[in-house]
Amino acid sequence: MSEETTEIIAGLRQPQKMISPKYFYDERGSQLFDAITHLPEYYPTETEFGIMRHNIDALADLVGRQASLIEYGSGSSRKTRILLEHLHELAVYVPVDISEEHLISSATAIRSEFPGLEVLPVVADFTKRFALPDPAVPPLRNIVYFPGSTIGNFTHDVAQELLDVMYQEAGENGAMLIGVDLQKDPAIIERAYNDSAGVTAEFNLNMLTHLNREFGFDFDVDAYSHSARYDRDEGRMVIELISARDQVVTIGDETIDVGAGEAVLTEYSHKYTLEGFAAMAEQAGFEVRQVWTDAERYFSIQYCTRL
Ligand code: TRP
């Protein structure tokens, strides 16, 4: 049995069953997620893009010339492209991702769109320290870029550790540029994860189809339904799959009992207050220097420097 299979089974044996969100992203899952970012209800992507576009000149001035842009994630988004177009004399672009395949294909695309730019992808798990590559042009400073409010998908403890790692990677004189989704009317947040076209439901359910095909589980996918609710006390979306009936899932010669109405947690998406995020950034050694938001204050982009 593969290490991954063992890890998935361990998650399913917890009192609160859970499956890591990394299993969302098989080929179909990646397509569905891309469709989510275009949904009218899913405000984060478009809002973050708008904030970026409106403030890019101010941002480029804060970053200054000849920086190294280190992106957490493979960097295929429109947000990345705005940065690459506007930052002054960028020394190097370093996308960091655990998926080599994603990295290679997006780095290839970026190289052909920005022929003068050195692109040095790093295959790594960015929640741990990783070595930075050595670019031809020596960078004057590092800008660690973490878009998409992906920080929200980590629990507060892990998010804090991640900010500590980002502080290290930023180095002396470095900065962090991060997209953070904000707390707001829960109805607006819940709608973003319960779209009327059902794309999010399909995305969530696809995880089980993926596990059945790739790892040999036999979840009765049709018995499952999508659930996404905002937990006000914790300030986070709780995204789950709920089985309508009892089922026994088998994998190799092991079995997992699932009760009627029982949930499997597939993802959290934490929403922050500006004060709450600033406190965590400070704890890691950053000072929040500039916060840009949209007019409705749905989303924020935060520029933080090392204290
Ligand atoms: N990181 C995204 C978010 O938290 C991922 C996401 C969007 C997602 N919609 C989803 C994850 C639905 C699971 C289910 O906003």
Side-chain angles (χ1 to χ4, degrees):
M1 195 168 283
S2 75
E3 208 175 295
E4 275 183 304
T5 309
T6 310
E7 179 194 289
I8 297 165
I9 295 171
L12 293 170
R13 293 214 188 286
Q14 301 290 314
Q16 154 76 82
K17 290 185 167 59
M18 55 182 96
I19 307 172
S20 165
K22 68 184 172 201
Y23 298 109
F24 278 132
Y25 302 99
D26 62 353
E27 204 182 329
R28 179 78 186 132
S30 300
Q31 285 168 357
L32 287 165
F33 184 68
D34 187 64
I36 287 173
T37 67
H38 293 100
L39 291 168
E41 296 96 336
Y42 193 73
Y43 64 84
T45 312
E46 208 45 50
T47 308
E48 185 176 19
F49 180 69
I51 298 168
M52 193 69 118
R53 207 166 24 118
H54 279 108
N55 301 287
I56 190 63
D57 292 331
L59 176 54
D61 289 346
L62 284 174
V63 168
R65 56 183 282 275
Q66 210 174 307
S68 164
L69 182 68
I70 302 156
E71 177 164 353
Y72 281 32
S74 70
S76 49
S77 77
R78 293 189 295 156
K79 292 164 271 188
T80 303
R81 288 178 166 78
I82 303 188
L83 278 173
L84 297 179
E85 276 161 19
H86 288 86
L87 293 184
H88 308 302
E89 306 161 50
L90 205 56
V92 60
Y93 171 56
V94 182
V96 185
D97 202 279
I98 195 130
S99 157
E100 182 161 15
E101 209 185 315
H102 261 116
L103 256 184
I104 304 297
S105 70
S106 83
T108 305
I110 296 285
R111 282 194 188 101
S112 74
E113 283 170 59
F114 300 88
L117 177 66
E118 187 170 21
V119 181
L120 298 175
V122 173
V123 181
D125 170 359
F126 59 61
T127 63
K128 311 202 169 70
R129 280 218 68 175
F130 55 89
L132 290 171
D134 208 3
V137 176
L140 297 180
R141 64 191 303 217
N142 293 335
I143 307 295
V144 178
Y145 177 47
F146 196 24
S149 202
T150 304
I151 188 88
N153 298 129
F154 299 93
T155 59
H156 288 294
D157 287 359
V158 179
Q160 188 67 62
E161 286 169 25
L162 188 48
L163 291 172
D164 294 342
V165 175
M166 292 172 82
Y167 178 89
Q168 302 295 329
E169 299 295 344
E172 212 176 315
N173 193 31
M176 165 175 76
L177 183 65
I178 184 166
V180 181
D181 199 9
L182 300 177
Q183 292 187 7
K184 63 184 75 61
D185 178 356
I188 294 166
I189 303 175
E190 286 189 336
R191 218 178 295 139
Y193 297 85
N194 290 284
D195 65 281
S196 56
V199 181
T200 305
E202 199 184 332
F203 173 71
N204 199 10
L205 288 160
N206 177 66
M207 185 187 268
L208 298 179
T209 311
H210 178 198
L211 293 193
N212 285 353
R213 186 194 61 243
E214 202 68 36
F215 302 96
F217 289 84
D218 63 352
F219 287 97
D220 178 358
V221 181
D222 292 336
Y224 271 95
S225 60
H226 164 71
S227 164
R229 61 188 166 79
Y230 188 68
D231 180 336
R232 288 176 193 244
D233 297 333
E234 301 287 344
R236 66 188 177 199
M237 283 301 299
V238 179
I239 298 150
E240 297 171 315
L241 289 162
I242 298 177
S243 178
R245 60 168 185 80
D246 291 340
Q247 52 178 299
V248 179
V249 176
T250 66
I251 167 80
D253 45 24
E254 300 202 39
T255 60
I256 296 146
D257 292 318
V258 176
E262 192 177 357
V264 185
L265 176 67
T266 54
E267 182 142 278
Y268 286 131
S269 190
H270 294 78
K271 308 304 172 186
Y272 283 91
T273 60
L274 292 179
E275 305 74 51
F277 184 76
M280 284 178 63
E282 257 165 53
Q283 176 74 35
F286 285 110
E287 183 182 3
V288 179
R289 300 296 288 271
Q290 182 82 56
V291 177
W292 295 281
T293 69
D294 53 300
E296 301 189 286
R297 290 193 159 235
Y298 281 2
F299 199 96
S300 67
I301 294 177
Q302 314 214 7
Y303 174 79
C304 310
T305 55
R306 290 186 22 144
L307 279 169

Short mmCIF file of all heavy atoms in Angstrom, two decimals, residues 1-13 208 210-219 247-258:
data_model
loop_
_atom_site.label_atom_id
_atom_site.label_comp_id
_atom_site.label_asym_id
_atom_site.label_seq_id
_atom_site.Cartn_x
_atom_site.Cartn_y
_atom_site.Cartn_z
N MET A 1 0.85 -1.20 0.00
CA MET A 1 0.00 0.00 0.00
C MET A 1 0.88 1.25 0.00
O MET A 1 1.86 1.33 0.74
CB MET A 1 -0.88 -0.02 1.25
CG MET A 1 -2.04 0.95 1.18
SD MET A 1 -3.25 0.68 2.48
CE MET A 1 -4.14 -0.74 1.88
N SER A 2 0.53 2.25 -0.83
CA SER A 2 1.39 3.44 -0.92
C SER A 2 1.28 4.29 0.34
O SER A 2 0.31 4.19 1.10
CB SER A 2 0.98 4.28 -2.13
OG SER A 2 -0.23 4.98 -1.87
N GLU A 3 2.30 5.11 0.53
CA GLU A 3 2.32 6.02 1.68
C GLU A 3 1.09 6.93 1.66
O GLU A 3 0.49 7.21 2.69
CB GLU A 3 3.59 6.86 1.56
CG GLU A 3 4.16 7.36 2.88
CD GLU A 3 5.48 8.07 2.65
OE1 GLU A 3 6.46 7.41 2.21
OE2 GLU A 3 5.52 9.29 2.86
N GLU A 4 0.75 7.37 0.46
CA GLU A 4 -0.42 8.25 0.32
C GLU A 4 -1.70 7.55 0.76
O GLU A 4 -2.51 8.12 1.47
CB GLU A 4 -0.58 8.69 -1.15
CG GLU A 4 0.25 9.91 -1.49
CD GLU A 4 0.00 10.35 -2.93
OE1 GLU A 4 0.18 9.50 -3.83
OE2 GLU A 4 -0.36 11.51 -3.15
N THR A 5 -1.86 6.29 0.31
CA THR A 5 -3.06 5.54 0.69
C THR A 5 -3.15 5.40 2.20
O THR A 5 -4.21 5.60 2.79
CB THR A 5 -3.06 4.15 0.01
OG1 THR A 5 -2.82 4.32 -1.39
CG2 THR A 5 -4.38 3.43 0.21
N THR A 6 -2.02 5.06 2.82
CA THR A 6 -1.97 4.92 4.28
C THR A 6 -2.38 6.21 4.97
O THR A 6 -3.13 6.22 5.94
CB THR A 6 -0.53 4.53 4.72
OG1 THR A 6 -0.12 3.41 3.92
CG2 THR A 6 -0.47 4.17 6.18
N GLU A 7 -1.90 7.33 4.42
CA GLU A 7 -2.22 8.65 4.99
C GLU A 7 -3.72 8.96 4.85
O GLU A 7 -4.35 9.46 5.78
CB GLU A 7 -1.37 9.70 4.26
CG GLU A 7 -1.57 11.13 4.69
CD GLU A 7 -0.94 12.11 3.68
OE1 GLU A 7 0.30 12.17 3.63
OE2 GLU A 7 -1.68 12.79 2.95
N ILE A 8 -4.29 8.61 3.70
CA ILE A 8 -5.72 8.86 3.49
C ILE A 8 -6.55 8.02 4.48
O ILE A 8 -7.49 8.52 5.11
CB ILE A 8 -6.14 8.55 2.03
CG1 ILE A 8 -5.40 9.48 1.05
CG2 ILE A 8 -7.65 8.69 1.86
CD1 ILE A 8 -5.46 9.03 -0.40
N ILE A 9 -6.17 6.75 4.62
CA ILE A 9 -6.90 5.87 5.55
C ILE A 9 -6.81 6.41 6.98
O ILE A 9 -7.82 6.45 7.70
CB ILE A 9 -6.34 4.42 5.48
CG1 ILE A 9 -6.60 3.82 4.10
CG2 ILE A 9 -6.98 3.54 6.56
CD1 ILE A 9 -5.89 2.49 3.85
N ALA A 10 -5.62 6.88 7.37
CA ALA A 10 -5.46 7.44 8.72
C ALA A 10 -6.43 8.61 8.94
O ALA A 10 -7.04 8.72 10.01
CB ALA A 10 -4.01 7.87 8.94
N GLY A 11 -6.57 9.46 7.93
CA GLY A 11 -7.51 10.58 8.02
C GLY A 11 -8.95 10.11 8.18
O GLY A 11 -9.74 10.70 8.92
N LEU A 12 -9.28 9.03 7.50
CA LEU A 12 -10.65 8.49 7.55
C LEU A 12 -10.91 7.73 8.86
O LEU A 12 -12.06 7.41 9.16
CB LEU A 12 -10.90 7.58 6.34
CG LEU A 12 -10.92 8.31 4.99
CD1 LEU A 12 -10.92 7.32 3.84
CD2 LEU A 12 -12.13 9.24 4.88
N ARG A 13 -9.86 7.44 9.60
CA ARG A 13 -10.03 6.76 10.89
C ARG A 13 -10.08 7.74 12.06
O ARG A 13 -10.26 7.35 13.20
CB ARG A 13 -8.90 5.74 11.11
CG ARG A 13 -8.95 4.56 10.15
CD ARG A 13 -8.48 3.28 10.80
NE ARG A 13 -8.36 2.20 9.84
CZ ARG A 13 -9.39 1.55 9.29
NH1 ARG A 13 -10.62 1.90 9.61
NH2 ARG A 13 -9.18 0.57 8.43
N LEU A 208 -13.84 12.27 -4.14
CA LEU A 208 -14.11 10.84 -3.89
C LEU A 208 -13.93 10.02 -5.17
O LEU A 208 -13.39 8.91 -5.14
CB LEU A 208 -15.52 10.65 -3.32
CG LEU A 208 -15.79 11.33 -1.97
CD1 LEU A 208 -17.23 11.09 -1.53
CD2 LEU A 208 -14.80 10.87 -0.90
N HIS A 210 -11.91 10.74 -7.49
CA HIS A 210 -10.45 10.70 -7.63
C HIS A 210 -9.86 9.59 -6.76
O HIS A 210 -9.04 8.79 -7.22
CB HIS A 210 -9.91 12.09 -7.25
CG HIS A 210 -8.42 12.22 -7.29
ND1 HIS A 210 -7.76 13.23 -6.65
CD2 HIS A 210 -7.45 11.48 -7.89
CE1 HIS A 210 -6.45 13.11 -6.85
NE2 HIS A 210 -6.24 12.05 -7.60
N LEU A 211 -10.30 9.53 -5.49
CA LEU A 211 -9.76 8.50 -4.59
C LEU A 211 -10.14 7.10 -5.05
O LEU A 211 -9.34 6.16 -4.94
CB LEU A 211 -10.25 8.71 -3.15
CG LEU A 211 -9.78 9.96 -2.40
CD1 LEU A 211 -10.11 9.84 -0.91
CD2 LEU A 211 -8.30 10.22 -2.58
N ASN A 212 -11.34 6.95 -5.56
CA ASN A 212 -11.77 5.63 -6.07
C ASN A 212 -10.88 5.19 -7.23
O ASN A 212 -10.37 4.07 -7.26
CB ASN A 212 -13.23 5.68 -6.54
CG ASN A 212 -14.21 5.69 -5.37
OD1 ASN A 212 -13.83 5.54 -4.21
ND2 ASN A 212 -15.49 5.88 -5.68
N ARG A 213 -10.67 6.09 -8.17
CA ARG A 213 -9.93 5.74 -9.38
C ARG A 213 -8.44 5.57 -9.11
O ARG A 213 -7.83 4.59 -9.54
CB ARG A 213 -10.15 6.84 -10.44
CG ARG A 213 -9.53 6.52 -11.79
CD ARG A 213 -9.45 7.75 -12.70
NE ARG A 213 -8.62 8.79 -12.12
CZ ARG A 213 -9.05 10.00 -11.78
NH1 ARG A 213 -10.31 10.35 -11.98
NH2 ARG A 213 -8.22 10.88 -11.24
N GLU A 214 -7.87 6.52 -8.38
CA GLU A 214 -6.42 6.59 -8.23
C GLU A 214 -5.88 5.66 -7.14
O GLU A 214 -4.78 5.15 -7.25
CB GLU A 214 -6.06 8.04 -7.91
CG GLU A 214 -4.65 8.45 -8.21
CD GLU A 214 -4.34 8.48 -9.69
OE1 GLU A 214 -5.24 8.85 -10.48
OE2 GLU A 214 -3.20 8.12 -10.05
N PHE A 215 -6.66 5.44 -6.10
CA PHE A 215 -6.14 4.70 -4.96
C PHE A 215 -6.93 3.43 -4.64
O PHE A 215 -6.59 2.71 -3.71
CB PHE A 215 -6.08 5.60 -3.71
CG PHE A 215 -5.23 6.83 -3.92
CD1 PHE A 215 -5.81 8.04 -4.28
CD2 PHE A 215 -3.85 6.77 -3.80
CE1 PHE A 215 -5.03 9.17 -4.49
CE2 PHE A 215 -3.06 7.90 -4.00
CZ PHE A 215 -3.65 9.10 -4.36
N GLY A 216 -8.01 3.18 -5.40
CA GLY A 216 -8.74 1.93 -5.21
C GLY A 216 -9.76 1.91 -4.10
O GLY A 216 -10.16 0.84 -3.63
N PHE A 217 -10.21 3.10 -3.64
CA PHE A 217 -11.32 3.11 -2.68
C PHE A 217 -12.61 2.80 -3.43
O PHE A 217 -12.64 2.79 -4.67
CB PHE A 217 -11.43 4.50 -2.02
CG PHE A 217 -10.32 4.81 -1.06
CD1 PHE A 217 -9.09 5.32 -1.51
CD2 PHE A 217 -10.49 4.60 0.30
CE1 PHE A 217 -8.07 5.61 -0.63
CE2 PHE A 217 -9.47 4.89 1.20
CZ PHE A 217 -8.25 5.39 0.73
N ASP A 218 -13.68 2.51 -2.67
CA ASP A 218 -14.97 2.28 -3.35
C ASP A 218 -16.09 3.08 -2.68
O ASP A 218 -17.15 2.56 -2.37
CB ASP A 218 -15.31 0.78 -3.40
CG ASP A 218 -15.48 0.18 -2.02
OD1 ASP A 218 -15.19 0.88 -1.02
OD2 ASP A 218 -15.93 -0.99 -1.93
N PHE A 219 -15.82 4.37 -2.47
CA PHE A 219 -16.87 5.26 -1.95
C PHE A 219 -18.07 5.23 -2.90
O PHE A 219 -17.89 5.26 -4.12
CB PHE A 219 -16.37 6.72 -1.92
CG PHE A 219 -15.38 7.02 -0.83
CD1 PHE A 219 -14.02 7.02 -1.11
CD2 PHE A 219 -15.81 7.32 0.46
CE1 PHE A 219 -13.09 7.31 -0.12
CE2 PHE A 219 -14.89 7.62 1.46
CZ PHE A 219 -13.53 7.60 1.17
N GLN A 247 -22.45 3.25 4.97
CA GLN A 247 -21.73 2.49 3.95
C GLN A 247 -20.41 1.97 4.52
O GLN A 247 -19.89 2.52 5.48
CB GLN A 247 -21.50 3.31 2.65
CG GLN A 247 -20.88 4.68 2.79
CD GLN A 247 -20.67 5.35 1.41
OE1 GLN A 247 -19.95 4.84 0.55
NE2 GLN A 247 -21.31 6.50 1.21
N VAL A 248 -19.96 0.89 3.95
CA VAL A 248 -18.66 0.35 4.35
C VAL A 248 -17.72 0.54 3.16
O VAL A 248 -17.95 -0.03 2.09
CB VAL A 248 -18.76 -1.14 4.73
CG1 VAL A 248 -17.38 -1.68 5.11
CG2 VAL A 248 -19.75 -1.34 5.87
N VAL A 249 -16.73 1.37 3.35
CA VAL A 249 -15.78 1.64 2.27
C VAL A 249 -14.63 0.64 2.43
O VAL A 249 -14.10 0.47 3.53
CB VAL A 249 -15.25 3.09 2.37
CG1 VAL A 249 -14.19 3.37 1.31
CG2 VAL A 249 -16.42 4.08 2.23
N THR A 250 -14.27 -0.01 1.33
CA THR A 250 -13.16 -0.95 1.42
C THR A 250 -11.98 -0.44 0.60
O THR A 250 -12.14 0.22 -0.44
CB THR A 250 -13.53 -2.37 0.92
OG1 THR A 250 -13.79 -2.29 -0.48
CG2 THR A 250 -14.76 -2.91 1.63
N ILE A 251 -10.79 -0.75 1.12
CA ILE A 251 -9.55 -0.39 0.42
C ILE A 251 -8.56 -1.50 0.74
O ILE A 251 -8.24 -1.74 1.91
CB ILE A 251 -9.04 1.01 0.84
CG1 ILE A 251 -7.61 1.28 0.37
CG2 ILE A 251 -9.14 1.25 2.35
CD1 ILE A 251 -7.51 1.70 -1.04
N GLY A 252 -8.09 -2.21 -0.27
CA GLY A 252 -7.27 -3.39 -0.02
C GLY A 252 -8.06 -4.34 0.87
O GLY A 252 -9.23 -4.62 0.58
N ASP A 253 -7.45 -4.79 1.97
CA ASP A 253 -8.25 -5.64 2.86
C ASP A 253 -8.70 -4.90 4.12
O ASP A 253 -9.00 -5.51 5.14
CB ASP A 253 -7.51 -6.94 3.19
CG ASP A 253 -6.06 -6.70 3.56
OD1 ASP A 253 -5.77 -5.56 4.01
OD2 ASP A 253 -5.24 -7.62 3.40
N GLU A 254 -8.74 -3.57 4.02
CA GLU A 254 -9.25 -2.78 5.16
C GLU A 254 -10.64 -2.25 4.86
O GLU A 254 -11.01 -2.06 3.70
CB GLU A 254 -8.32 -1.60 5.43
CG GLU A 254 -6.90 -2.05 5.75
CD GLU A 254 -6.13 -0.99 6.51
OE1 GLU A 254 -6.73 -0.32 7.38
OE2 GLU A 254 -4.93 -0.84 6.22
N THR A 255 -11.39 -1.99 5.94
CA THR A 255 -12.72 -1.39 5.76
C THR A 255 -12.87 -0.16 6.66
O THR A 255 -12.26 -0.08 7.72
CB THR A 255 -13.85 -2.39 6.13
OG1 THR A 255 -13.69 -2.78 7.49
CG2 THR A 255 -13.84 -3.61 5.22
N ILE A 256 -13.67 0.77 6.19
CA ILE A 256 -13.96 2.00 6.95
C ILE A 256 -15.47 2.13 7.03
O ILE A 256 -16.15 2.15 6.00
CB ILE A 256 -13.36 3.23 6.25
CG1 ILE A 256 -11.82 3.13 6.23
CG2 ILE A 256 -13.79 4.52 6.94
CD1 ILE A 256 -11.19 3.72 5.01
N ASP A 257 -15.99 2.21 8.27
CA ASP A 257 -17.43 2.36 8.45
C ASP A 257 -17.84 3.82 8.38
O ASP A 257 -17.24 4.66 9.02
CB ASP A 257 -17.85 1.79 9.81
CG ASP A 257 -17.69 0.28 9.87
OD1 ASP A 257 -18.05 -0.38 8.87
OD2 ASP A 257 -17.18 -0.23 10.89
N VAL A 258 -18.87 4.06 7.58
CA VAL A 258 -19.41 5.42 7.45
C VAL A 258 -20.87 5.38 7.88
O VAL A 258 -21.63 4.54 7.39
CB VAL A 258 -19.30 5.90 5.99
CG1 VAL A 258 -19.95 7.27 5.83
CG2 VAL A 258 -17.85 5.93 5.52
#
